[in-house]
PDB file of all heavy atoms in Angstrom:
ATOM      1  N   ALA B 261      34.215 -30.206  13.468  1.00  0.00           N
ATOM      2  CA  ALA B 261      33.416 -31.127  14.284  1.00  0.00           C
ATOM      3  C   ALA B 261      34.138 -31.590  15.536  1.00  0.00           C
ATOM      4  O   ALA B 261      35.344 -31.827  15.533  1.00  0.00           O
ATOM      5  CB  ALA B 261      33.013 -32.329  13.440  1.00  0.00           C
ATOM      6  N   ASP B 262      33.372 -31.695  16.639  1.00  0.00           N
ATOM      7  CA  ASP B 262      33.893 -32.315  17.859  1.00  0.00           C
ATOM      8  C   ASP B 262      33.825 -33.827  17.714  1.00  0.00           C
ATOM      9  O   ASP B 262      34.765 -34.543  18.005  1.00  0.00           O
ATOM     10  CB  ASP B 262      33.051 -31.915  19.073  1.00  0.00           C
ATOM     11  CG  ASP B 262      32.988 -30.414  19.227  1.00  0.00           C
ATOM     12  OD1 ASP B 262      34.044 -29.787  19.156  1.00  0.00           O
ATOM     13  OD2 ASP B 262      31.874 -29.890  19.382  1.00  0.00           O
ATOM     14  N   ARG B 263      32.673 -34.266  17.284  1.00  0.00           N
ATOM     15  CA  ARG B 263      32.497 -35.701  17.053  1.00  0.00           C
ATOM     16  C   ARG B 263      32.081 -35.900  15.608  1.00  0.00           C
ATOM     17  O   ARG B 263      31.532 -34.996  14.979  1.00  0.00           O
ATOM     18  CB  ARG B 263      31.416 -36.262  17.973  1.00  0.00           C
ATOM     19  CG  ARG B 263      31.902 -36.517  19.399  1.00  0.00           C
ATOM     20  CD  ARG B 263      30.864 -37.275  20.174  1.00  0.00           C
ATOM     21  NE  ARG B 263      29.564 -36.637  20.105  1.00  0.00           N
ATOM     22  CZ  ARG B 263      28.429 -37.299  20.018  1.00  0.00           C
ATOM     23  NH1 ARG B 263      28.414 -38.617  19.990  1.00  0.00           N
ATOM     24  NH2 ARG B 263      27.274 -36.653  19.963  1.00  0.00           N
ATOM     25  N   THR B 264      32.323 -37.080  15.106  1.00  0.00           N
ATOM     26  CA  THR B 264      32.005 -37.351  13.710  1.00  0.00           C
ATOM     27  C   THR B 264      31.322 -38.695  13.597  1.00  0.00           C
ATOM     28  O   THR B 264      31.648 -39.624  14.332  1.00  0.00           O
ATOM     29  CB  THR B 264      33.293 -37.370  12.862  1.00  0.00           C
ATOM     30  OG1 THR B 264      33.872 -36.085  12.887  1.00  0.00           O
ATOM     31  CG2 THR B 264      33.002 -37.748  11.422  1.00  0.00           C
ATOM     32  N   MET B 265      30.338 -38.751  12.690  1.00  0.00           N
ATOM     33  CA  MET B 265      29.815 -40.070  12.385  1.00  0.00           C
ATOM     34  C   MET B 265      29.967 -40.327  10.900  1.00  0.00           C
ATOM     35  O   MET B 265      29.885 -39.419  10.079  1.00  0.00           O
ATOM     36  CB  MET B 265      28.359 -40.202  12.839  1.00  0.00           C
ATOM     37  CG  MET B 265      27.335 -39.493  12.059  1.00  0.00           C
ATOM     38  SD  MET B 265      25.808 -39.566  13.023  1.00  0.00           S
ATOM     39  CE  MET B 265      24.624 -39.490  11.738  1.00  0.00           C
ATOM     40  N   VAL B 266      30.265 -41.568  10.593  1.00  0.00           N
ATOM     41  CA  VAL B 266      30.498 -41.944   9.209  1.00  0.00           C
ATOM     42  C   VAL B 266      29.300 -42.749   8.731  1.00  0.00           C
ATOM     43  O   VAL B 266      28.918 -43.742   9.352  1.00  0.00           O
ATOM     44  CB  VAL B 266      31.790 -42.781   9.072  1.00  0.00           C
ATOM     45  CG1 VAL B 266      32.097 -43.041   7.606  1.00  0.00           C
ATOM     46  CG2 VAL B 266      32.951 -42.086   9.748  1.00  0.00           C
ATOM     47  N   LEU B 267      28.701 -42.289   7.637  1.00  0.00           N
ATOM     48  CA  LEU B 267      27.538 -42.989   7.086  1.00  0.00           C
ATOM     49  C   LEU B 267      27.949 -43.737   5.836  1.00  0.00           C
ATOM     50  O   LEU B 267      28.767 -43.267   5.041  1.00  0.00           O
ATOM     51  CB  LEU B 267      26.452 -41.977   6.702  1.00  0.00           C
ATOM     52  CG  LEU B 267      25.550 -41.407   7.790  1.00  0.00           C
ATOM     53  CD1 LEU B 267      24.555 -40.458   7.157  1.00  0.00           C
ATOM     54  CD2 LEU B 267      24.814 -42.517   8.515  1.00  0.00           C
ATOM     55  N   ARG B 268      27.386 -44.927   5.707  1.00  0.00           N
ATOM     56  CA  ARG B 268      27.581 -45.641   4.452  1.00  0.00           C
ATOM     57  C   ARG B 268      26.340 -46.464   4.188  1.00  0.00           C
ATOM     58  O   ARG B 268      25.893 -47.213   5.054  1.00  0.00           O
ATOM     59  CB  ARG B 268      28.807 -46.531   4.520  1.00  0.00           C
ATOM     60  CG  ARG B 268      29.163 -47.023   3.145  1.00  0.00           C
ATOM     61  CD  ARG B 268      30.370 -47.894   3.144  1.00  0.00           C
ATOM     62  NE  ARG B 268      30.704 -48.213   1.773  1.00  0.00           N
ATOM     63  CZ  ARG B 268      31.127 -49.407   1.389  1.00  0.00           C
ATOM     64  NH1 ARG B 268      31.292 -50.343   2.283  1.00  0.00           N
ATOM     65  NH2 ARG B 268      31.391 -49.639   0.125  1.00  0.00           N
ATOM     66  N   GLN B 269      25.795 -46.310   3.008  1.00  0.00           N
ATOM     67  CA  GLN B 269      24.573 -47.012   2.621  1.00  0.00           C
ATOM     68  C   GLN B 269      23.496 -46.886   3.693  1.00  0.00           C
ATOM     69  O   GLN B 269      22.839 -47.855   4.068  1.00  0.00           O
ATOM     70  CB  GLN B 269      24.868 -48.477   2.335  1.00  0.00           C
ATOM     71  CG  GLN B 269      25.837 -48.620   1.182  1.00  0.00           C
ATOM     72  CD  GLN B 269      25.683 -49.928   0.441  1.00  0.00           C
ATOM     73  OE1 GLN B 269      25.013 -50.848   0.922  1.00  0.00           O
ATOM     74  NE2 GLN B 269      26.251 -50.002  -0.736  1.00  0.00           N
ATOM     75  N   GLY B 270      23.342 -45.683   4.224  1.00  0.00           N
ATOM     76  CA  GLY B 270      22.258 -45.413   5.150  1.00  0.00           C
ATOM     77  C   GLY B 270      22.513 -45.831   6.579  1.00  0.00           C
ATOM     78  O   GLY B 270      21.660 -45.622   7.430  1.00  0.00           O
ATOM     79  N   ARG B 271      23.654 -46.434   6.855  1.00  0.00           N
ATOM     80  CA  ARG B 271      23.923 -46.859   8.226  1.00  0.00           C
ATOM     81  C   ARG B 271      25.097 -46.087   8.809  1.00  0.00           C
ATOM     82  O   ARG B 271      25.999 -45.667   8.082  1.00  0.00           O
ATOM     83  CB  ARG B 271      24.281 -48.351   8.266  1.00  0.00           C
ATOM     84  CG  ARG B 271      23.129 -49.263   7.970  1.00  0.00           C
ATOM     85  CD  ARG B 271      23.614 -50.703   8.031  1.00  0.00           C
ATOM     86  NE  ARG B 271      22.658 -51.593   7.389  1.00  0.00           N
ATOM     87  CZ  ARG B 271      21.575 -52.052   7.986  1.00  0.00           C
ATOM     88  NH1 ARG B 271      21.322 -51.740   9.229  1.00  0.00           N
ATOM     89  NH2 ARG B 271      20.743 -52.848   7.334  1.00  0.00           N
ATOM     90  N   ILE B 272      25.076 -45.927  10.137  1.00  0.00           N
ATOM     91  CA  ILE B 272      26.241 -45.368  10.814  1.00  0.00           C
ATOM     92  C   ILE B 272      27.240 -46.503  10.971  1.00  0.00           C
ATOM     93  O   ILE B 272      26.954 -47.517  11.614  1.00  0.00           O
ATOM     94  CB  ILE B 272      25.868 -44.821  12.207  1.00  0.00           C
ATOM     95  CG1 ILE B 272      24.821 -43.718  12.071  1.00  0.00           C
ATOM     96  CG2 ILE B 272      27.107 -44.302  12.919  1.00  0.00           C
ATOM     97  CD1 ILE B 272      24.350 -43.158  13.399  1.00  0.00           C
ATOM     98  N   ILE B 273      28.417 -46.369  10.343  1.00  0.00           N
ATOM     99  CA  ILE B 273      29.373 -47.463  10.478  1.00  0.00           C
ATOM    100  C   ILE B 273      30.425 -47.151  11.524  1.00  0.00           C
ATOM    101  O   ILE B 273      31.072 -48.039  12.051  1.00  0.00           O
ATOM    102  CB  ILE B 273      30.036 -47.821   9.127  1.00  0.00           C
ATOM    103  CG1 ILE B 273      30.667 -46.587   8.498  1.00  0.00           C
ATOM    104  CG2 ILE B 273      29.037 -48.454   8.192  1.00  0.00           C
ATOM    105  CD1 ILE B 273      31.556 -46.942   7.339  1.00  0.00           C
ATOM    106  N   GLU B 274      30.571 -45.864  11.820  1.00  0.00           N
ATOM    107  CA  GLU B 274      31.543 -45.533  12.857  1.00  0.00           C
ATOM    108  C   GLU B 274      31.205 -44.173  13.432  1.00  0.00           C
ATOM    109  O   GLU B 274      30.793 -43.273  12.708  1.00  0.00           O
ATOM    110  CB  GLU B 274      32.962 -45.502  12.260  1.00  0.00           C
ATOM    111  CG  GLU B 274      34.029 -45.654  13.305  1.00  0.00           C
ATOM    112  CD  GLU B 274      35.402 -45.944  12.693  1.00  0.00           C
ATOM    113  OE1 GLU B 274      35.476 -46.164  11.477  1.00  0.00           O
ATOM    114  OE2 GLU B 274      36.381 -45.936  13.444  1.00  0.00           O
TER     115      GLU B 274
END
Side-chain angles (χ1 to χ4, degrees):
Chain B
D262 303 312
R263 281 189 308 142
T264 296
M265 73 191 208
V266 186
L267 280 181
R268 192 179 185 219
Q269 298 207 347
R271 290 180 196 278
I272 300 178
I273 54 168
E274 200 167 352

